[in-house]
Amino acid sequence: MARALEAPFLVALNLTRRCNLACAHCYLDAGARRRGGADELSTAEVTAILDQIAALSEETLVVLTGGEPLLRKDIYEIARHASGLGLMAVLGSNGTLLNEERATALQAAGVQAVGISLDSLDPGYHDDFRGRGGSWAETMAGIDICRRAGLMVQIHFSVTDDNAPELDDMIAFARSAGAVVLNVFFMVCTGRGESVTNISQAVYDKVLRRVAEAARDEQQLVVRARCAPHFKRMALEMKPPLPLTLRDGYEAGGCLAGTRYCRVTPEGELTACPYMEESVGSLRSDDFLTLWRDAAQFQQLRTPALEGRCGECEYAKLCGGCRARPLARDGELMGEDFLCSYEPSGSTVIEPLLAPAAALNWTPEAEIWLKRVPAFVRRFVKRRAEDHARELHADTVTAEHMQALARRRFGAGGPPGQFARPERPGMDGGA
């Protein structure tokens, strides 16, 4: 039975192939810094696509990335348009081009967070991976600059066999650096990344289990696995398990490609994810809604007929494996995810968990606080707030509870920029 059409939770807009680095793993095979692509979407075309995304849902998180998106002179105009539509705008950057002026301009344009790629705490390793000496120091400076400008920071850690031993140190660094999110990426070998060894099955399993533990145990940092649906199986295998409901901040189903996530290329082609290179259509000739709703590949991903171990697995609905890996290696969209070592037990298929029914009430002012929290951490904050209220034997979340959480996370100064304490209800259109 086909699932009801849902708006994408996340859309990645690859705005350019231009980049000032030459990263070994880049799925775009990004071109020379000044050359870029001759057929990049214009400002008007990008804003028209954003209009179409917002018409489907104003809660979609839009990642403005590249290449290096700061090489587009219209990046602030694009960000301003996205945020003006009510979309959650996040910049995905290597961090090397950030300075005080650019960070301030991004914040003023409504960018709510910057995702910065950091591949190691060893400068030499990071510089080698990124293809240019000195990039580590510039990236670290970019993290500090964003924080001072009131931009929330996500750290993106692309894990391989070589840097996997750094995971615990990276978690500790992200926490100490004031990052809100640590995204641990497991690369799929496409683009320039076809030459990267990537990660072995044994290391993959070990890292994922540690990520699941950190996701459960970290109190002030959201730790997430990216391009690794097996994380969800491991989360349930832990004792105690990590809940996997929308209330707890996780999509309960498997691979998000084509179901809650898609990517727009610099030339306007729509794909299910950055690691699936086959276009389902051009946004220069078709509108976003039509392609999102009707594309044959997206339909296939929404009603998957999984093969091999994935098709036999009791975690087929909860995990289902990464669809990009078998497609990239074997040309089989529904093939088994060969990076997974799990052998199906033959037991009944596990259904995704439902959110607990006993959610707490929220005062109008507390709801305003929550509304101002970026979408990518809103569920996490909601869970923390309700847990905090329960600890105090309260059945309603109040503004005072939110203030206490803000002081715990950001100190006496409170949260940055637009996430500061809201005015009383009614003053800014809130409930």
Side-chain angles (χ1 to χ4, degrees):
M1 181 177 176
R3 67 172 76 179
L5 179 68
E6 295 180 277
F9 172 72
L10 172 64
V11 177
L13 287 180
N14 289 137
L15 296 174
T16 183
R17 295 181 185 273
R18 287 172 286 166
C19 190
N20 58 322
L21 301 181
C23 305
H25 63 292
C26 183
Y27 59 78
L28 271 186
D29 192 18
R33 174 178 179 176
R34 300 188 185 281
R35 175 169 53 86
D39 203 21
E40 282 182 2
L41 292 168
S42 67
T43 306
E45 287 174 319
V46 174
T47 56
I49 291 170
L50 289 168
D51 290 342
Q52 294 167 24
I53 294 170
L56 188 56
S57 172
E58 293 181 356
E59 295 186 353
T60 298
L61 172 64
V62 176
V63 180
L64 308 175
T65 185
E68 174 48 58
L70 288 174
L71 290 173
R72 281 196 63 140
K73 294 180 179 179
D74 58 355
I75 187 62
Y76 310 110
E77 182 178 351
I78 290 171
R80 189 176 301 109
H81 190 82
S83 62
L85 293 168
L87 299 168
M88 298 289 177
V90 174
L91 188 81
S93 173
N94 60 45
T96 61
L97 298 179
L98 287 163
N99 55 33
E100 303 287 352
E101 180 182 359
R102 287 172 177 155
T104 299
L106 289 170
Q107 200 273 346
V111 170
Q112 299 202 5
V114 178
I116 296 180
S117 299
L118 181 66
D119 304 303
S120 175
L121 298 176
D122 174 2
Y125 179 92
H126 178 92
D127 288 356
D128 184 62
F129 200 65
R130 293 281 156 180
R132 182 168 69 78
S135 60
W136 184 88
E138 293 169 351
T139 294
M140 296 293 275
I143 293 172
D144 290 337
I145 288 167
C146 285
R147 191 175 61 246
R148 289 197 298 270
L151 291 163
M152 291 191 176
V153 175
Q154 299 183 37
I155 292 178
H156 297 171
F157 177 50
S158 295
V159 66
T160 69
D161 281 347
D162 295 326
N163 64 1
E166 290 193 62
L167 178 58
D168 281 336
D169 290 340
M170 191 62 72
I171 293 171
F173 169 76
R175 189 191 315 119
S176 66
V180 176
V181 177
L182 172 64
N183 284 321
V184 182
F185 282 86
F186 296 83
M187 296 178 295
V188 178
C189 293
T190 59
R192 192 181 292 131
E194 290 177 354
S195 64
V196 177
T197 305
N198 203 350
I199 192 169
S200 65
Q201 198 176 75
V203 173
Y204 179 78
D205 279 1
K206 182 178 180 180
V207 170
L208 263 188
R209 291 188 188 281
R210 178 66 187 104
V211 170
E213 291 172 356
R216 180 193 63 191
D217 299 337
E218 285 291 325
Q219 295 299 305
Q220 302 303 321
L221 176 70
V222 180
V223 181
R224 301 187 296 201
R226 287 290 183 245
C227 306
H230 322 98
F231 162 84
K232 298 171 184 179
R233 168 176 59 83
M234 295 178 180
L236 289 187
E237 289 175 342
M238 293 190 302
K239 297 184 185 303
L242 169 69
L244 290 171
T245 69
L246 284 176
R247 173 185 173 274
D248 296 293
Y250 297 96
E251 296 286 343
C255 178
L256 299 182
T259 62
R260 298 302 305 279
Y261 176 40
C262 61
R263 181 271 297 253
V264 180
T265 73
E267 298 77 34
E269 302 297 320
L270 189 67
T271 76
C273 88
Y275 297 120
M276 294 184 185
E277 298 176 313
E278 178 185 350
S279 171
V280 301
S282 172
L283 293 172
R284 282 177 158 152
S285 55
D286 292 296
D287 66 273
F288 184 87
L289 172 59
T290 299
L291 293 178
W292 175 253
R293 182 188 61 207
D294 299 335
Q297 186 188 72
F298 289 8
Q299 299 271 13
Q300 190 178 4
L301 288 165
R302 291 165 192 165
T303 55
L306 302 175
E307 301 171 359
R309 286 179 297 134
C310 288
E312 301 168 358
C313 188
E314 64 270 29
Y315 291 96
K317 290 186 178 179
L318 188 68
C319 166
C322 172
R323 298 296 93 221
R325 287 195 185 94
L327 180 64
R329 191 186 75 171
D330 306 320
E332 299 292 338
L333 183 64
M334 293 292 124
E336 72 174 47
D337 187 341
F338 52 85
L339 200 52
C340 177
S341 63
Y342 183 73
E343 290 296 333
S345 68
S347 58
T348 304
V349 173
I350 299 170
E351 296 291 334
L353 299 175
L354 298 176
L360 298 187
N361 296 318
W362 285 65
T363 67
E365 190 173 21
E367 289 181 342
I368 295 175
W369 273 88
L370 187 65
K371 184 178 180 181
R372 294 188 175 203
V373 174
F376 57 88
V377 291
R378 188 175 296 153
R379 292 168 185 147
F380 172 83
V381 172
K382 183 177 182 181
R383 185 185 72 183
R384 290 284 184 239
E386 294 191 350
D387 288 346
H388 177 65
R390 289 189 183 98
E391 290 171 1
L392 298 174
H393 306 290
D395 60 6
T396 300
V397 179
T398 68
E400 287 71 25
H401 296 142
M402 300 299 286
Q403 289 170 350
L405 290 176
R407 286 194 297 269
R408 184 185 302 176
R409 176 66 181 86
F410 298 104
Q418 64 267 47
F419 313 112
R421 183 181 186 279
E423 300 298 330
R424 62 183 182 275
M427 293 296 290
D428 64 350

